[in-house]
Amino acid sequence: NAGVTQTPKFRVLKTGQSMTLLCAQDMNHEYMYWYRQDPGMGLRLIHYSVGEGTTAKGEVPDGYNVSRLKKQNFLLGLESAAPSQTSVYFCASSPLTSGGPGVGEQFFGPGTRLTVL
Amino acid sequence: AQSVTQLDSQVPVFEEAPVELRCNYSSSVSVYLFWYVQYPNQGLQLLLKYLSGSTLVKGINGFEAEFNKSQTSFHLRKPSVHISDTAEYFCAVISYSSASKIIFGSGTRLSIRP
């Protein structure tokens, strides 16, 4: 099993450009998440999904959109990139639990390092 | 609103020495608590979690943490560290009333000296 994979691993954008980050998991998990990690700030939740066809806002959703058309994939889009979106982006997934999303063990991908010039 | 504070941004210790990484949280309702570890250039990995029951939680790699409700703390401990424990450690909290909103602390970088 590959676990959680992220594409691409690195990307450099110019201000105003758009891009999509792809996350894929092969563990049949219901929940999926997108985080950003900035120095000294830990991880912050951008958006999450509780199942195929659903998405919800996390702590820092502005400037991002997401889609989950298939259970195994969770896409993060930046419509018009800004320098403030320079960060490392992590995708994660977790199984269905009675406590809700986030309560079960999250499995993380290796991350995507994005630089916006 | 809930929040998490990791009091130490960096903790240097000698190999085979004990270590404690501190985590305090604030929340007006009951919480679930987690410790995740991030090795260099990797994603996060769950060390342990407290959902309910015994306040002493044992995790992987010899780590344990104790939930202290009165002090709103969830400190991580290991009696004897190894070079391989060099990593960044994140405490995280979810409140019962907002299960989707997991909040991570800013992290503690553990460096092991031989």
Side-chain angles (χ1 to χ4, degrees):
Chain A
N1 287 348
V4 179
T5 58
Q6 294 182 230
T7 309
K9 289 186 169 53
F10 303 92
R11 186 71 187 268
V12 178
L13 291 178
K14 294 181 179 178
T15 297
Q17 287 185 318
S18 64
M19 77 162 294
T20 300
L21 305 183
L22 171 63
C23 175
Q25 54 97 1
D26 61 3
M27 295 172 282
N28 201 34
H29 286 167
E30 290 297 326
Y31 304 135
M32 295 188 76
Y33 317 81
W34 275 108
Y35 295 91
R36 59 178 290 173
Q37 184 179 32
D38 301 294
M41 297 187 73
L43 272 73
R44 291 181 292 169
L45 182 65
I46 303 171
H47 286 281
Y48 65 99
S49 168
V50 299
E52 181 178 318
T54 74
T55 63
K57 294 180 180 180
E59 185 185 356
V60 288
D62 294 342
Y64 305 95
N65 57 77
V66 287
S67 64
R68 191 156 177 213
L69 300 178
K70 293 183 179 181
K71 186 176 184 179
Q72 63 267 34
N73 295 337
F74 195 29
L75 279 63
L76 177 71
L78 285 73
E79 291 185 347
S80 179
S84 60
Q85 294 178 304
T86 293
S87 188
V88 180
Y89 291 85
F90 286 99
C91 176
S93 69
S94 67
L96 184 68
T97 58
S98 58
V103 176
E105 178 177 0
Q106 293 188 54
F107 293 81
F108 284 80
T112 295
R113 188 173 295 275
L114 175 66
T115 301
V116 183
L117 303 176
Chain B
Q2 62 203 47
S3 66
V4 179
T5 302
Q6 291 184 244
L7 298 164
D8 306 297
S9 60
Q10 296 188 60
V11 173
V13 295
F14 287 104
E15 193 172 17
E16 298 183 5
V19 69
E20 178 180 82
L21 306 184
R22 296 180 293 170
C23 173
N24 286 88
Y25 70 91
S26 68
S27 175
S28 57
V29 299
S30 297
V31 296
Y32 303 111
L33 294 157
F34 307 81
W35 276 99
Y36 279 84
V37 59
Q38 185 178 29
Y39 298 104
N41 299 313
Q42 294 185 26
L44 278 69
Q45 176 182 344
L46 182 68
L47 267 181
L48 49 79
K49 62 182 177 182
Y50 171 78
L51 302 184
S52 65
S54 173
T55 58
L56 183 63
V57 182
K58 293 190 183 298
I60 62 171
N61 301 339
F63 284 93
E64 64 180 31
E66 186 156 19
F67 170 54
N68 187 319
K69 188 174 182 179
S70 63
Q71 297 188 4
T72 60
S73 68
F74 191 54
H75 300 334
L76 181 70
R77 303 185 183 98
K78 186 170 182 178
S80 175
V81 296
H82 303 286
I83 292 287
S84 59
D85 293 322
T86 297
E88 190 150 20
Y89 293 78
F90 293 93
C91 182
V93 63
I94 302 176
S95 71
Y96 282 18
S97 63
S98 183
S100 60
K101 301 296 171 65
I102 184 167
I103 302 296
F104 282 85
S106 55
T108 296
R109 190 170 298 277
L110 178 62
S111 58
I112 312 297
R113 300 170 176 173

mmCIF file with all atom_site columns, all heavy atoms in Angstrom, chain B residues 33-52:
data_model
loop_
_atom_site.group_PDB
_atom_site.id
_atom_site.type_symbol
_atom_site.label_atom_id
_atom_site.label_alt_id
_atom_site.label_comp_id
_atom_site.label_asym_id
_atom_site.label_entity_id
_atom_site.label_seq_id
_atom_site.pdbx_PDB_ins_code
_atom_site.Cartn_x
_atom_site.Cartn_y
_atom_site.Cartn_z
_atom_site.occupancy
_atom_site.B_iso_or_equiv
_atom_site.pdbx_formal_charge
_atom_site.auth_seq_id
_atom_site.auth_comp_id
_atom_site.auth_asym_id
_atom_site.auth_atom_id
_atom_site.pdbx_PDB_model_num
ATOM 1   N N   . LEU B 1 33 ? -7.007  14.641 22.963 1.00 0.00 ? 33 LEU B N   1
ATOM 2   C CA  . LEU B 1 33 ? -5.635  15.155 22.891 1.00 0.00 ? 33 LEU B CA  1
ATOM 3   C C   . LEU B 1 33 ? -4.730  14.182 22.148 1.00 0.00 ? 33 LEU B C   1
ATOM 4   O O   . LEU B 1 33 ? -4.895  12.961 22.252 1.00 0.00 ? 33 LEU B O   1
ATOM 5   C CB  . LEU B 1 33 ? -5.097  15.394 24.299 1.00 0.00 ? 33 LEU B CB  1
ATOM 6   C CG  . LEU B 1 33 ? -5.816  16.501 25.077 1.00 0.00 ? 33 LEU B CG  1
ATOM 7   C CD1 . LEU B 1 33 ? -5.646  16.304 26.560 1.00 0.00 ? 33 LEU B CD1 1
ATOM 8   C CD2 . LEU B 1 33 ? -5.290  17.862 24.656 1.00 0.00 ? 33 LEU B CD2 1
ATOM 9   N N   . PHE B 1 34 ? -3.762  14.742 21.430 1.00 0.00 ? 34 PHE B N   1
ATOM 10  C CA  . PHE B 1 34 ? -2.887  13.947 20.575 1.00 0.00 ? 34 PHE B CA  1
ATOM 11  C C   . PHE B 1 34 ? -1.453  14.467 20.649 1.00 0.00 ? 34 PHE B C   1
ATOM 12  O O   . PHE B 1 34 ? -1.219  15.644 20.892 1.00 0.00 ? 34 PHE B O   1
ATOM 13  C CB  . PHE B 1 34 ? -3.338  14.053 19.105 1.00 0.00 ? 34 PHE B CB  1
ATOM 14  C CG  . PHE B 1 34 ? -4.782  13.738 18.873 1.00 0.00 ? 34 PHE B CG  1
ATOM 15  C CD1 . PHE B 1 34 ? -5.748  14.699 19.112 1.00 0.00 ? 34 PHE B CD1 1
ATOM 16  C CD2 . PHE B 1 34 ? -5.175  12.505 18.407 1.00 0.00 ? 34 PHE B CD2 1
ATOM 17  C CE1 . PHE B 1 34 ? -7.100  14.428 18.902 1.00 0.00 ? 34 PHE B CE1 1
ATOM 18  C CE2 . PHE B 1 34 ? -6.509  12.218 18.193 1.00 0.00 ? 34 PHE B CE2 1
ATOM 19  C CZ  . PHE B 1 34 ? -7.472  13.186 18.449 1.00 0.00 ? 34 PHE B CZ  1
ATOM 20  N N   . TRP B 1 35 ? -0.519  13.554 20.408 1.00 0.00 ? 35 TRP B N   1
ATOM 21  C CA  . TRP B 1 35 ? 0.858   13.924 20.097 1.00 0.00 ? 35 TRP B CA  1
ATOM 22  C C   . TRP B 1 35 ? 1.223   13.270 18.764 1.00 0.00 ? 35 TRP B C   1
ATOM 23  O O   . TRP B 1 35 ? 1.044   12.059 18.580 1.00 0.00 ? 35 TRP B O   1
ATOM 24  C CB  . TRP B 1 35 ? 1.841   13.445 21.172 1.00 0.00 ? 35 TRP B CB  1
ATOM 25  C CG  . TRP B 1 35 ? 1.961   14.358 22.347 1.00 0.00 ? 35 TRP B CG  1
ATOM 26  C CD1 . TRP B 1 35 ? 1.356   14.249 23.558 1.00 0.00 ? 35 TRP B CD1 1
ATOM 27  C CD2 . TRP B 1 35 ? 2.775   15.539 22.425 1.00 0.00 ? 35 TRP B CD2 1
ATOM 28  N NE1 . TRP B 1 35 ? 1.728   15.281 24.374 1.00 0.00 ? 35 TRP B NE1 1
ATOM 29  C CE2 . TRP B 1 35 ? 2.605   16.092 23.710 1.00 0.00 ? 35 TRP B CE2 1
ATOM 30  C CE3 . TRP B 1 35 ? 3.648   16.188 21.530 1.00 0.00 ? 35 TRP B CE3 1
ATOM 31  C CZ2 . TRP B 1 35 ? 3.264   17.249 24.140 1.00 0.00 ? 35 TRP B CZ2 1
ATOM 32  C CZ3 . TRP B 1 35 ? 4.293   17.338 21.952 1.00 0.00 ? 35 TRP B CZ3 1
ATOM 33  C CH2 . TRP B 1 35 ? 4.102   17.852 23.244 1.00 0.00 ? 35 TRP B CH2 1
ATOM 34  N N   . TYR B 1 36 ? 1.732   14.119 17.868 1.00 0.00 ? 36 TYR B N   1
ATOM 35  C CA  . TYR B 1 36 ? 2.244   13.645 16.594 1.00 0.00 ? 36 TYR B CA  1
ATOM 36  C C   . TYR B 1 36 ? 3.734   13.951 16.509 1.00 0.00 ? 36 TYR B C   1
ATOM 37  O O   . TYR B 1 36 ? 4.207   14.942 17.094 1.00 0.00 ? 36 TYR B O   1
ATOM 38  C CB  . TYR B 1 36 ? 1.534   14.345 15.422 1.00 0.00 ? 36 TYR B CB  1
ATOM 39  C CG  . TYR B 1 36 ? 0.182   13.778 15.071 1.00 0.00 ? 36 TYR B CG  1
ATOM 40  C CD1 . TYR B 1 36 ? -0.963  14.172 15.751 1.00 0.00 ? 36 TYR B CD1 1
ATOM 41  C CD2 . TYR B 1 36 ? 0.054   12.843 14.039 1.00 0.00 ? 36 TYR B CD2 1
ATOM 42  C CE1 . TYR B 1 36 ? -2.212  13.646 15.407 1.00 0.00 ? 36 TYR B CE1 1
ATOM 43  C CE2 . TYR B 1 36 ? -1.183  12.318 13.692 1.00 0.00 ? 36 TYR B CE2 1
ATOM 44  C CZ  . TYR B 1 36 ? -2.309  12.717 14.381 1.00 0.00 ? 36 TYR B CZ  1
ATOM 45  O OH  . TYR B 1 36 ? -3.539  12.191 14.041 1.00 0.00 ? 36 TYR B OH  1
ATOM 46  N N   . VAL B 1 37 ? 4.468   13.145 15.745 1.00 0.00 ? 37 VAL B N   1
ATOM 47  C CA  . VAL B 1 37 ? 5.900   13.361 15.549 1.00 0.00 ? 37 VAL B CA  1
ATOM 48  C C   . VAL B 1 37 ? 6.163   13.544 14.054 1.00 0.00 ? 37 VAL B C   1
ATOM 49  O O   . VAL B 1 37 ? 5.513   12.905 13.208 1.00 0.00 ? 37 VAL B O   1
ATOM 50  C CB  . VAL B 1 37 ? 6.741   12.178 16.106 1.00 0.00 ? 37 VAL B CB  1
ATOM 51  C CG1 . VAL B 1 37 ? 6.372   10.859 15.439 1.00 0.00 ? 37 VAL B CG1 1
ATOM 52  C CG2 . VAL B 1 37 ? 8.232   12.449 15.949 1.00 0.00 ? 37 VAL B CG2 1
ATOM 53  N N   . GLN B 1 38 ? 7.082   14.445 13.760 1.00 0.00 ? 38 GLN B N   1
ATOM 54  C CA  . GLN B 1 38 ? 7.474   14.685 12.370 1.00 0.00 ? 38 GLN B CA  1
ATOM 55  C C   . GLN B 1 38 ? 8.979   14.524 12.246 1.00 0.00 ? 38 GLN B C   1
ATOM 56  O O   . GLN B 1 38 ? 9.737   15.353 12.761 1.00 0.00 ? 38 GLN B O   1
ATOM 57  C CB  . GLN B 1 38 ? 7.051   16.076 11.907 1.00 0.00 ? 38 GLN B CB  1
ATOM 58  C CG  . GLN B 1 38 ? 7.327   16.335 10.433 1.00 0.00 ? 38 GLN B CG  1
ATOM 59  C CD  . GLN B 1 38 ? 6.863   17.710 9.989  1.00 0.00 ? 38 GLN B CD  1
ATOM 60  O OE1 . GLN B 1 38 ? 6.826   18.659 10.764 1.00 0.00 ? 38 GLN B OE1 1
ATOM 61  N NE2 . GLN B 1 38 ? 6.487   17.817 8.718  1.00 0.00 ? 38 GLN B NE2 1
ATOM 62  N N   . TYR B 1 39 ? 9.399   13.469 11.582 1.00 0.00 ? 39 TYR B N   1
ATOM 63  C CA  . TYR B 1 39 ? 10.821  13.286 11.310 1.00 0.00 ? 39 TYR B CA  1
ATOM 64  C C   . TYR B 1 39 ? 11.219  14.164 10.129 1.00 0.00 ? 39 TYR B C   1
ATOM 65  O O   . TYR B 1 39 ? 10.371  14.535 9.320  1.00 0.00 ? 39 TYR B O   1
ATOM 66  C CB  . TYR B 1 39 ? 11.127  11.813 11.048 1.00 0.00 ? 39 TYR B CB  1
ATOM 67  C CG  . TYR B 1 39 ? 10.824  10.940 12.245 1.00 0.00 ? 39 TYR B CG  1
ATOM 68  C CD1 . TYR B 1 39 ? 9.696   10.131 12.280 1.00 0.00 ? 39 TYR B CD1 1
ATOM 69  C CD2 . TYR B 1 39 ? 11.647  10.964 13.369 1.00 0.00 ? 39 TYR B CD2 1
ATOM 70  C CE1 . TYR B 1 39 ? 9.391   9.356  13.377 1.00 0.00 ? 39 TYR B CE1 1
ATOM 71  C CE2 . TYR B 1 39 ? 11.351  10.201 14.478 1.00 0.00 ? 39 TYR B CE2 1
ATOM 72  C CZ  . TYR B 1 39 ? 10.224  9.399  14.480 1.00 0.00 ? 39 TYR B CZ  1
ATOM 73  O OH  . TYR B 1 39 ? 9.916   8.649  15.591 1.00 0.00 ? 39 TYR B OH  1
ATOM 74  N N   . PRO B 1 40 ? 12.492  14.486 10.008 1.00 0.00 ? 40 PRO B N   1
ATOM 75  C CA  . PRO B 1 40 ? 12.924  15.411 8.951  1.00 0.00 ? 40 PRO B CA  1
ATOM 76  C C   . PRO B 1 40 ? 12.417  15.018 7.569  1.00 0.00 ? 40 PRO B C   1
ATOM 77  O O   . PRO B 1 40 ? 12.516  13.858 7.170  1.00 0.00 ? 40 PRO B O   1
ATOM 78  C CB  . PRO B 1 40 ? 14.451  15.335 9.046  1.00 0.00 ? 40 PRO B CB  1
ATOM 79  C CG  . PRO B 1 40 ? 14.715  15.009 10.478 1.00 0.00 ? 40 PRO B CG  1
ATOM 80  C CD  . PRO B 1 40 ? 13.599  14.088 10.887 1.00 0.00 ? 40 PRO B CD  1
ATOM 81  N N   . ASN B 1 41 ? 11.841  15.989 6.898  1.00 0.00 ? 41 ASN B N   1
ATOM 82  C CA  . ASN B 1 41 ? 11.362  15.845 5.513  1.00 0.00 ? 41 ASN B CA  1
ATOM 83  C C   . ASN B 1 41 ? 10.280  14.778 5.354  1.00 0.00 ? 41 ASN B C   1
ATOM 84  O O   . ASN B 1 41 ? 10.179  14.143 4.301  1.00 0.00 ? 41 ASN B O   1
ATOM 85  C CB  . ASN B 1 41 ? 12.537  15.537 4.582  1.00 0.00 ? 41 ASN B CB  1
ATOM 86  C CG  . ASN B 1 41 ? 13.567  16.639 4.595  1.00 0.00 ? 41 ASN B CG  1
ATOM 87  O OD1 . ASN B 1 41 ? 13.236  17.813 4.490  1.00 0.00 ? 41 ASN B OD1 1
ATOM 88  N ND2 . ASN B 1 41 ? 14.827  16.263 4.767  1.00 0.00 ? 41 ASN B ND2 1
ATOM 89  N N   . GLN B 1 42 ? 9.498   14.582 6.396  1.00 0.00 ? 42 GLN B N   1
ATOM 90  C CA  . GLN B 1 42 ? 8.400   13.623 6.316  1.00 0.00 ? 42 GLN B CA  1
ATOM 91  C C   . GLN B 1 42 ? 7.101   14.258 6.803  1.00 0.00 ? 42 GLN B C   1
ATOM 92  O O   . GLN B 1 42 ? 7.108   15.349 7.381  1.00 0.00 ? 42 GLN B O   1
ATOM 93  C CB  . GLN B 1 42 ? 8.702   12.381 7.167  1.00 0.00 ? 42 GLN B CB  1
ATOM 94  C CG  . GLN B 1 42 ? 9.870   11.557 6.677  1.00 0.00 ? 42 GLN B CG  1
ATOM 95  C CD  . GLN B 1 42 ? 10.037  10.293 7.493  1.00 0.00 ? 42 GLN B CD  1
ATOM 96  O OE1 . GLN B 1 42 ? 9.075   9.777  8.080  1.00 0.00 ? 42 GLN B OE1 1
ATOM 97  N NE2 . GLN B 1 42 ? 11.259  9.780  7.540  1.00 0.00 ? 42 GLN B NE2 1
ATOM 98  N N   . GLY B 1 43 ? 6.000   13.553 6.578  1.00 0.00 ? 43 GLY B N   1
ATOM 99  C CA  . GLY B 1 43 ? 4.724   13.971 7.146  1.00 0.00 ? 43 GLY B CA  1
ATOM 100 C C   . GLY B 1 43 ? 4.645   13.586 8.612  1.00 0.00 ? 43 GLY B C   1
ATOM 101 O O   . GLY B 1 43 ? 5.565   12.980 9.156  1.00 0.00 ? 43 GLY B O   1
ATOM 102 N N   . LEU B 1 44 ? 3.549   13.945 9.258  1.00 0.00 ? 44 LEU B N   1
ATOM 103 C CA  . LEU B 1 44 ? 3.382   13.650 10.678 1.00 0.00 ? 44 LEU B CA  1
ATOM 104 C C   . LEU B 1 44 ? 2.930   12.209 10.885 1.00 0.00 ? 44 LEU B C   1
ATOM 105 O O   . LEU B 1 44 ? 2.300   11.603 10.021 1.00 0.00 ? 44 LEU B O   1
ATOM 106 C CB  . LEU B 1 44 ? 2.353   14.604 11.297 1.00 0.00 ? 44 LEU B CB  1
ATOM 107 C CG  . LEU B 1 44 ? 2.848   15.972 11.710 1.00 0.00 ? 44 LEU B CG  1
ATOM 108 C CD1 . LEU B 1 44 ? 3.211   16.821 10.507 1.00 0.00 ? 44 LEU B CD1 1
ATOM 109 C CD2 . LEU B 1 44 ? 1.813   16.675 12.584 1.00 0.00 ? 44 LEU B CD2 1
ATOM 110 N N   . GLN B 1 45 ? 3.224   11.706 12.072 1.00 0.00 ? 45 GLN B N   1
ATOM 111 C CA  . GLN B 1 45 ? 2.873   10.328 12.432 1.00 0.00 ? 45 GLN B CA  1
ATOM 112 C C   . GLN B 1 45 ? 2.340   10.350 13.853 1.00 0.00 ? 45 GLN B C   1
ATOM 113 O O   . GLN B 1 45 ? 2.925   10.999 14.725 1.00 0.00 ? 45 GLN B O   1
ATOM 114 C CB  . GLN B 1 45 ? 4.139   9.479  12.327 1.00 0.00 ? 45 GLN B CB  1
ATOM 115 C CG  . GLN B 1 45 ? 4.033   8.048  12.745 1.00 0.00 ? 45 GLN B CG  1
ATOM 116 C CD  . GLN B 1 45 ? 5.376   7.346  12.624 1.00 0.00 ? 45 GLN B CD  1
ATOM 117 O OE1 . GLN B 1 45 ? 6.305   7.833  11.971 1.00 0.00 ? 45 GLN B OE1 1
ATOM 118 N NE2 . GLN B 1 45 ? 5.495   6.203  13.268 1.00 0.00 ? 45 GLN B NE2 1
ATOM 119 N N   . LEU B 1 46 ? 1.256   9.663  14.118 1.00 0.00 ? 46 LEU B N   1
ATOM 120 C CA  . LEU B 1 46 ? 0.660   9.660  15.451 1.00 0.00 ? 46 LEU B CA  1
ATOM 121 C C   . LEU B 1 46 ? 1.540   8.907  16.447 1.00 0.00 ? 46 LEU B C   1
ATOM 122 O O   . LEU B 1 46 ? 1.934   7.766  16.205 1.00 0.00 ? 46 LEU B O   1
ATOM 123 C CB  . LEU B 1 46 ? -0.726  9.018  15.404 1.00 0.00 ? 46 LEU B CB  1
ATOM 124 C CG  . LEU B 1 46 ? -1.480  8.985  16.727 1.00 0.00 ? 46 LEU B CG  1
ATOM 125 C CD1 . LEU B 1 46 ? -1.865  10.407 17.160 1.00 0.00 ? 46 LEU B CD1 1
ATOM 126 C CD2 . LEU B 1 46 ? -2.725  8.114  16.616 1.00 0.00 ? 46 LEU B CD2 1
ATOM 127 N N   . LEU B 1 47 ? 1.833   9.546  17.577 1.00 0.00 ? 47 LEU B N   1
ATOM 128 C CA  . LEU B 1 47 ? 2.562   8.913  18.674 1.00 0.00 ? 47 LEU B CA  1
ATOM 129 C C   . LEU B 1 47 ? 1.597   8.279  19.662 1.00 0.00 ? 47 LEU B C   1
ATOM 130 O O   . LEU B 1 47 ? 1.772   7.137  20.078 1.00 0.00 ? 47 LEU B O   1
ATOM 131 C CB  . LEU B 1 47 ? 3.396   9.952  19.427 1.00 0.00 ? 47 LEU B CB  1
ATOM 132 C CG  . LEU B 1 47 ? 4.835   10.198 19.033 1.00 0.00 ? 47 LEU B CG  1
ATOM 133 C CD1 . LEU B 1 47 ? 5.416   11.264 19.964 1.00 0.00 ? 47 LEU B CD1 1
ATOM 134 C CD2 . LEU B 1 47 ? 5.666   8.940  19.091 1.00 0.00 ? 47 LEU B CD2 1
ATOM 135 N N   . LEU B 1 48 ? 0.611   9.060  20.075 1.00 0.00 ? 48 LEU B N   1
ATOM 136 C CA  . LEU B 1 48 ? -0.374  8.581  21.034 1.00 0.00 ? 48 LEU B CA  1
ATOM 137 C C   . LEU B 1 48 ? -1.543  9.545  21.083 1.00 0.00 ? 48 LEU B C   1
ATOM 138 O O   . LEU B 1 48 ? -1.453  10.669 20.564 1.00 0.00 ? 48 LEU B O   1
ATOM 139 C CB  . LEU B 1 48 ? 0.241   8.430  22.428 1.00 0.00 ? 48 LEU B CB  1
ATOM 140 C CG  . LEU B 1 48 ? 1.069   9.593  23.005 1.00 0.00 ? 48 LEU B CG  1
ATOM 141 C CD1 . LEU B 1 48 ? 0.186   10.693 23.546 1.00 0.00 ? 48 LEU B CD1 1
ATOM 142 C CD2 . LEU B 1 48 ? 2.019   9.087  24.084 1.00 0.00 ? 48 LEU B CD2 1
ATOM 143 N N   . LYS B 1 49 ? -2.629  9.097  21.716 1.00 0.00 ? 49 LYS B N   1
ATOM 144 C CA  . LYS B 1 49 ? -3.810  9.951  21.840 1.00 0.00 ? 49 LYS B CA  1
ATOM 145 C C   . LYS B 1 49 ? -4.556  9.619  23.120 1.00 0.00 ? 49 LYS B C   1
ATOM 146 O O   . LYS B 1 49 ? -4.506  8.486  23.619 1.00 0.00 ? 49 LYS B O   1
ATOM 147 C CB  . LYS B 1 49 ? -4.731  9.797  20.633 1.00 0.00 ? 49 LYS B CB  1
ATOM 148 C CG  . LYS B 1 49 ? -5.299  8.404  20.452 1.00 0.00 ? 49 LYS B CG  1
ATOM 149 C CD  . LYS B 1 49 ? -6.154  8.333  19.197 1.00 0.00 ? 49 LYS B CD  1
ATOM 150 C CE  . LYS B 1 49 ? -6.667  6.913  18.958 1.00 0.00 ? 49 LYS B CE  1
ATOM 151 N NZ  . LYS B 1 49 ? -7.462  6.814  17.710 1.00 0.00 ? 49 LYS B NZ  1
ATOM 152 N N   . TYR B 1 50 ? -5.233  10.635 23.643 1.00 0.00 ? 50 TYR B N   1
ATOM 153 C CA  . TYR B 1 50 ? -6.115  10.462 24.785 1.00 0.00 ? 50 TYR B CA  1
ATOM 154 C C   . TYR B 1 50 ? -7.535  10.785 24.332 1.00 0.00 ? 50 TYR B C   1
ATOM 155 O O   . TYR B 1 50 ? -7.808  11.898 23.885 1.00 0.00 ? 50 TYR B O   1
ATOM 156 C CB  . TYR B 1 50 ? -5.719  11.380 25.939 1.00 0.00 ? 50 TYR B CB  1
ATOM 157 C CG  . TYR B 1 50 ? -6.752  11.356 27.037 1.00 0.00 ? 50 TYR B CG  1
ATOM 158 C CD1 . TYR B 1 50 ? -6.806  10.301 27.943 1.00 0.00 ? 50 TYR B CD1 1
ATOM 159 C CD2 . TYR B 1 50 ? -7.711  12.363 27.135 1.00 0.00 ? 50 TYR B CD2 1
ATOM 160 C CE1 . TYR B 1 50 ? -7.772  10.260 28.924 1.00 0.00 ? 50 TYR B CE1 1
ATOM 161 C CE2 . TYR B 1 50 ? -8.681  12.325 28.110 1.00 0.00 ? 50 TYR B CE2 1
ATOM 162 C CZ  . TYR B 1 50 ? -8.714  11.274 29.001 1.00 0.00 ? 50 TYR B CZ  1
ATOM 163 O OH  . TYR B 1 50 ? -9.671  11.214 29.972 1.00 0.00 ? 50 TYR B OH  1
ATOM 164 N N   . LEU B 1 51 ? -8.405  9.796  24.458 1.00 0.00 ? 51 LEU B N   1
ATOM 165 C CA  . LEU B 1 51 ? -9.811  10.014 24.124 1.00 0.00 ? 51 LEU B CA  1
ATOM 166 C C   . LEU B 1 51 ? -10.663 9.986  25.387 1.00 0.00 ? 51 LEU B C   1
ATOM 167 O O   . LEU B 1 51 ? -11.570 10.813 25.553 1.00 0.00 ? 51 LEU B O   1
ATOM 168 C CB  . LEU B 1 51 ? -10.303 8.951  23.128 1.00 0.00 ? 51 LEU B CB  1
ATOM 169 C CG  . LEU B 1 51 ? -9.531  8.866  21.800 1.00 0.00 ? 51 LEU B CG  1
ATOM 170 C CD1 . LEU B 1 51 ? -10.168 7.844  20.875 1.00 0.00 ? 51 LEU B CD1 1
ATOM 171 C CD2 . LEU B 1 51 ? -9.473  10.220 21.112 1.00 0.00 ? 51 LEU B CD2 1
ATOM 172 N N   . SER B 1 52 ? -10.411 9.032  26.272 1.00 0.00 ? 52 SER B N   1
ATOM 173 C CA  . SER B 1 52 ? -11.130 8.906  27.535 1.00 0.00 ? 52 SER B CA  1
ATOM 174 C C   . SER B 1 52 ? -10.445 7.812  28.341 1.00 0.00 ? 52 SER B C   1
ATOM 175 O O   . SER B 1 52 ? -9.515  7.169  27.873 1.00 0.00 ? 52 SER B O   1
ATOM 176 C CB  . SER B 1 52 ? -12.605 8.557  27.304 1.00 0.00 ? 52 SER B CB  1
ATOM 177 O OG  . SER B 1 52 ? -12.709 7.275  26.711 1.00 0.00 ? 52 SER B OG  1
#
